[in-house]
Amino acid sequence: ISRASEVGMIPIYDLFNHHNGKRSAKLTVTEEGVQLLVVGDGGISSGDEIYLSYGLKTASTMYRDYGFVEEWPIAWNFQTAGGNNFAFLEFPDVIAINPSADLLRAVWQSNISLEEYLSLATTHTESLSSADLETFVTAVENEHFPTTFKGDEVILALLIEQEGGTIANDSSDNISDRISAIRYRMAHKKALASAKLYCNGILTKRMSMGSQEL
């Protein structure tokens, strides 16, 4: 394999799936050619699936470039009408609000357990001020979509029904693309709702602790 493979297709390597949270290998280009290196301390055992990283990209970029949103961590971002940018990393049951550059590097460059990822994310979000969390919640509440979640469910059901009765052609491809786009929009809405709920949970806990201290 030549060094040109850095920007081209690589047999076998291109069959590996992407997962930032479970990344176990990476591609390195040297004078000798391309090498596949194991990353992290866990190693790769016989029968383990090998995961690579396509980079820590936002959910919208992953969906646009690769057609899917990864399992975790999912990097969501959005911009308010006033031009303010917000971001959050979604893990199972934990959300890192406005992740720092250090946290993003740790997520992308590390190969650690899910529990360690959750600990990093929890520590980060709980270190944010109540004002920062309240600002984030307000931004989420002001985020608007052309449809409601229930509306998307109705649209999705109709499209799936149409797809089932369509002969494979350009029309069916278009329906499949629309189904995919609706599912992505629904995932985005659910993520925003989860992030808001997570922030409110921390704020409520802080208020409760403050009341007890008084």
Side-chain angles (χ1 to χ4, degrees), residues 77-86 143:
N77 69 327
F78 64 100
Q79 186 179 71
T80 65
N84 295 316
N85 294 305
F86 293 89
E143 187 74 354

Side-chain angles (χ1 to χ4, degrees), residues 8 13 42-43 101 103 159 174:
Y13 177 85
L103 178 59
L159 288 172
N174 180 260

Side-chain angles (χ1 to χ4, degrees), residues 15 25 31 33 69-70 73 76 102 107 111 126 178 205 212:
L15 298 176
E31 290 297 325
V69 175
E70 65 182 302
W76 298 98
D102 287 341
V107 169
N111 180 36
E126 292 187 348
R178 291 171 64 190
K205 181 180 178 181
Q212 292 175 8

Side-chain angles (χ1 to χ4, degrees), residues 21 33 36 49 61 64 71-72 74 81 106 111 127 131 137 140 151-152 156 170 173 178 182 187-188 190 206 213:
L36 186 66
E49 180 170 358
T61 299
R64 181 196 66 196
E71 181 185 9
W72 62 267
I74 310 174
N111 180 36
S127 72
V137 169
V140 171
D152 282 341
L156 182 61
D170 291 342
D173 290 342
R178 291 171 64 190
I182 293 296
H188 190 186
K190 288 180 67 174
R206 288 179 182 179
E213 291 174 359

